[in-house]
Protein backbone atom coordinates (compact mmCIF):
# COMPACT_ATOMS: atom_id res chain seq x y z
CA UNK A 1 0.00 0.00 0.00
CA UNK A 2 1.21 3.46 -0.88
CA UNK A 3 1.13 6.48 1.32
CA UNK A 4 1.84 9.82 -0.24
CA UNK A 5 3.86 12.15 1.91
CA UNK A 6 3.88 15.83 0.94
CA UNK A 7 7.43 17.03 0.52
CA UNK A 8 8.48 20.09 2.47
CA UNK A 9 8.84 23.04 0.11
CA UNK A 10 12.25 23.82 1.57
CA UNK A 11 13.37 20.22 0.90
CA UNK A 12 12.21 20.43 -2.73
CA UNK A 13 14.04 23.74 -3.13
CA UNK A 14 17.17 22.23 -1.54
CA UNK A 15 17.02 19.27 -3.95
CA UNK A 16 16.69 21.65 -6.89
CA UNK A 17 19.67 23.67 -5.62
CA UNK A 18 21.79 20.55 -5.04
CA UNK A 19 20.99 19.26 -8.53
CA UNK A 20 21.35 22.67 -10.17
CA UNK A 21 17.92 22.51 -11.81
CA UNK A 22 14.41 23.85 -11.41
CA UNK A 23 11.56 21.33 -11.50
CA UNK A 24 8.56 22.10 -13.72
CA UNK A 25 5.70 23.76 -11.84
CA UNK A 26 3.30 20.81 -12.21
CA UNK A 27 5.80 18.37 -10.65
CA UNK A 28 6.98 20.77 -7.96
CA UNK A 29 3.44 21.72 -6.92
CA UNK A 30 2.41 18.07 -6.82
CA UNK A 31 5.34 17.16 -4.57
CA UNK A 32 4.50 19.94 -2.11
CA UNK A 33 0.72 19.42 -2.08
CA UNK A 34 0.29 15.65 -2.53
CA UNK A 35 3.80 14.32 -2.21
CA UNK A 36 5.95 11.39 -3.13
CA UNK A 37 4.66 7.86 -2.73
CA UNK A 38 1.54 6.74 -4.61
CA UNK A 39 2.10 6.65 -8.33
CA UNK A 40 2.79 4.44 -11.33
CA UNK A 41 4.80 1.25 -10.92
CA UNK A 42 6.73 1.46 -7.63
CA UNK A 43 5.46 4.96 -6.91
CA UNK A 44 7.03 8.41 -6.94
CA UNK A 45 10.49 8.87 -5.47
CA UNK A 46 10.82 11.25 -2.55
CA UNK A 47 13.57 13.89 -2.53
CA UNK A 48 16.06 11.62 -0.74
CA UNK A 49 15.52 8.80 -3.26
CA UNK A 50 15.58 11.24 -6.18
CA UNK A 51 18.94 12.59 -5.00
CA UNK A 52 20.34 9.06 -4.53
CA UNK A 53 19.39 8.04 -8.07
CA UNK A 54 20.76 11.34 -9.42
CA UNK A 55 24.27 10.71 -8.03
CA UNK A 56 25.42 9.14 -11.33
CA UNK A 57 23.52 11.62 -13.48
CA UNK A 58 24.28 15.21 -14.37
CA UNK A 59 20.82 16.83 -14.23
CA UNK A 60 22.09 20.36 -14.92
CA UNK A 61 23.86 19.36 -18.15
CA UNK A 62 22.10 19.45 -21.52
CA UNK A 63 19.64 16.61 -22.25
CA UNK A 64 20.87 15.13 -25.55
CA UNK A 65 17.54 14.42 -27.25
CA UNK A 66 15.59 16.97 -29.26
CA UNK A 67 11.91 17.43 -30.05
CA UNK A 68 12.63 15.84 -33.44
CA UNK A 69 14.01 12.76 -31.63
CA UNK A 70 10.92 12.62 -29.42
CA UNK A 71 8.56 12.81 -32.39
CA UNK A 72 10.55 10.20 -34.36
CA UNK A 73 10.71 7.70 -31.50
CA UNK A 74 7.07 8.29 -30.61
CA UNK A 75 6.01 7.58 -34.20
CA UNK A 76 8.18 4.44 -34.32
CA UNK A 77 6.54 3.27 -31.08
CA UNK A 78 3.03 3.99 -32.46
CA UNK A 79 3.86 2.01 -35.61
CA UNK A 80 5.05 -0.90 -33.45
CA UNK A 81 1.87 -0.80 -31.34
CA UNK A 82 -0.16 -1.13 -34.56
CA UNK A 83 1.96 -4.17 -35.55
CA UNK A 84 2.60 -6.07 -32.31
CA UNK A 85 4.23 -8.94 -34.24
CA UNK A 86 7.05 -6.57 -35.11
CA UNK A 87 8.99 -7.46 -31.94
CA UNK A 88 10.03 -5.64 -28.81
CA UNK A 89 10.29 -1.84 -29.07
CA UNK A 90 13.58 -0.57 -27.71
CA UNK A 91 13.41 3.17 -28.30
CA UNK A 92 16.68 5.07 -28.56
CA UNK A 93 19.46 2.69 -27.61
CA UNK A 94 21.93 4.69 -25.51
CA UNK A 95 23.53 4.52 -22.10
CA UNK A 96 21.17 4.75 -19.15
CA UNK A 97 23.07 7.60 -17.47
CA UNK A 98 22.16 10.44 -19.80
CA UNK A 99 22.64 14.01 -18.56
CA UNK A 100 19.81 16.51 -18.19
CA UNK A 101 17.29 14.38 -16.29
CA UNK A 102 16.39 12.79 -12.96
CA UNK A 103 14.53 9.62 -12.06
CA UNK A 104 11.11 10.32 -10.53
CA UNK A 105 9.63 6.80 -10.52
CA UNK A 106 11.10 3.30 -10.47
CA UNK A 107 9.33 0.88 -12.78
CA UNK A 108 11.21 -2.23 -11.63
CA UNK A 109 13.44 -4.51 -13.72
CA UNK A 110 15.94 -1.66 -14.29
CA UNK A 111 13.29 0.71 -15.66
CA UNK A 112 12.63 4.29 -14.57
CA UNK A 113 10.49 7.23 -15.56
CA UNK A 114 12.82 10.16 -16.04
CA UNK A 115 11.99 13.88 -15.81
CA UNK A 116 13.95 15.96 -18.32
CA UNK A 117 15.45 18.96 -16.53
CA UNK A 118 17.26 20.82 -19.35
CA UNK A 119 17.09 21.51 -23.06
CA UNK A 120 14.13 21.90 -25.38
CA UNK A 121 12.42 18.86 -23.83
CA UNK A 122 12.66 20.13 -20.23
CA UNK A 123 9.55 19.13 -18.31
CA UNK A 124 8.80 16.08 -20.44
CA UNK A 125 8.95 12.51 -19.17
CA UNK A 126 10.82 9.59 -20.72
CA UNK A 127 10.75 5.88 -19.93
CA UNK A 128 14.22 4.40 -19.62
CA UNK A 129 15.37 0.84 -19.17
CA UNK A 130 18.38 -1.26 -20.11
CA UNK A 131 17.11 -1.50 -23.71
CA UNK A 132 16.52 2.15 -24.52
CA UNK A 133 14.68 5.43 -24.05
CA UNK A 134 11.26 6.55 -25.28
CA UNK A 135 8.68 9.22 -24.38
CA UNK A 136 6.75 8.05 -21.32
CA UNK A 137 3.36 6.40 -21.60
CA UNK A 138 0.80 5.20 -19.07
CA UNK A 139 -0.47 1.67 -18.45
CA UNK A 140 -4.11 1.01 -19.22
CA UNK A 141 -6.37 -0.90 -16.82
CA UNK A 142 -7.34 -4.36 -18.00
CA UNK A 143 -5.64 -7.19 -19.81
CA UNK A 144 -2.45 -6.79 -21.85
CA UNK A 145 -2.72 -6.38 -25.58
CA UNK A 146 -2.22 -3.82 -28.34
CA UNK A 147 -4.20 -1.28 -26.31
CA UNK A 148 -2.35 -1.90 -23.05
CA UNK A 149 -0.83 1.57 -22.89
CA UNK A 150 -2.12 5.11 -23.15
CA UNK A 151 -0.36 7.26 -25.71
CA UNK A 152 0.60 10.54 -24.02
CA UNK A 153 2.26 11.96 -27.13
CA UNK A 154 5.91 12.66 -27.87
CA UNK A 155 6.44 15.12 -25.00
CA UNK A 156 4.32 13.95 -22.04
CA UNK A 157 4.18 16.16 -18.97
CA UNK A 158 4.16 15.03 -15.36
CA UNK A 159 0.54 16.14 -15.00
CA UNK A 160 -0.66 14.14 -18.03
CA UNK A 161 1.31 11.05 -16.97
CA UNK A 162 0.09 11.08 -13.36
CA UNK A 163 -3.50 11.88 -14.36
CA UNK A 164 -3.56 8.92 -16.78
CA UNK A 165 -2.23 6.60 -14.06
CA UNK A 166 -4.76 7.87 -11.50
CA UNK A 167 -7.68 7.57 -13.95
CA UNK A 168 -6.72 4.00 -14.86
CA UNK A 169 -6.17 3.08 -11.21
CA UNK A 170 -9.65 4.30 -10.33
CA UNK A 171 -11.10 2.17 -13.13
CA UNK A 172 -9.56 -0.90 -11.48
CA UNK A 173 -11.42 -0.07 -8.27
CA UNK A 174 -14.80 0.20 -10.00
CA UNK A 175 -16.82 -3.00 -10.50
Amino acid sequence: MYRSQPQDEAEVAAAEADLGVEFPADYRDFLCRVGAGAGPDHGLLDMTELREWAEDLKPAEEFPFTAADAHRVHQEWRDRVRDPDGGWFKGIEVRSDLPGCVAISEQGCSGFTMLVTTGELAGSLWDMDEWGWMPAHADRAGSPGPDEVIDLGPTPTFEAWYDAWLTESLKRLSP
Side-chain angles (χ1 to χ4, degrees):
M1 178 168 85
Y2 293 114
R3 286 188 185 259
S4 285
Q5 181 65 39
Q7 303 293 283
D8 181 72
E9 198 162 327
E11 177 65 17
V12 174
E16 290 175 315
D18 289 348
L19 299 171
V21 299
E22 191 172 304
F23 297 139
D26 61 348
Y27 177 63
R28 189 177 211 293
D29 291 346
F30 185 90
L31 288 173
C32 294
R33 292 176 189 216
V34 178
D41 302 307
H42 293 284
L44 296 177
L45 301 177
D46 63 26
M47 291 300 92
T48 300
E49 295 166 320
L50 185 143
R51 283 177 169 149
E52 287 172 7
W53 283 111
E55 286 178 7
D56 296 331
L57 302 173
K58 296 174 180 74
E61 291 184 9
E62 192 72 14
F63 187 67
F65 302 152
T66 64
D69 293 325
H71 286 275
R72 178 183 53 79
V73 173
H74 178 255
Q75 187 58 52
E76 289 171 4
W77 171 75
R78 286 178 51 96
D79 292 345
R80 184 64 54 93
V81 168
R82 289 187 197 110
D83 179 19
D85 294 331
W88 186 258
F89 184 75
K90 296 182 180 184
I92 301 175
E93 295 182 66
V94 293
R95 295 181 7 214
S96 61
D97 60 344
L98 289 181
C101 59
V102 293
I104 64 166
S105 177
E106 184 178 1
Q107 299 167 353
C109 298
S110 75
F112 291 88
T113 298
M114 308 295 285
L115 170 67
V116 178
T117 53
T118 62
E120 68 179 293
L121 295 174
S124 67
L125 300 184
W126 284 68
D127 289 335
M128 178 280 297
D129 61 27
E130 61 189 82
W131 297 284
W133 289 70
M134 66 179 283
H137 61 274
D139 294 329
R140 189 175 297 283
S143 59
D147 296 322
E148 67 189 27
V149 294
I150 299 168
D151 182 355
L152 299 174
T155 56
T157 63
F158 173 80
E159 184 177 0
W161 175 76
Y162 197 88
D163 183 65
W165 170 77
L166 187 58
T167 299
E168 292 300 310
S169 296
L170 291 172
K171 285 180 186 177
R172 290 182 181 120
L173 296 175
S174 301

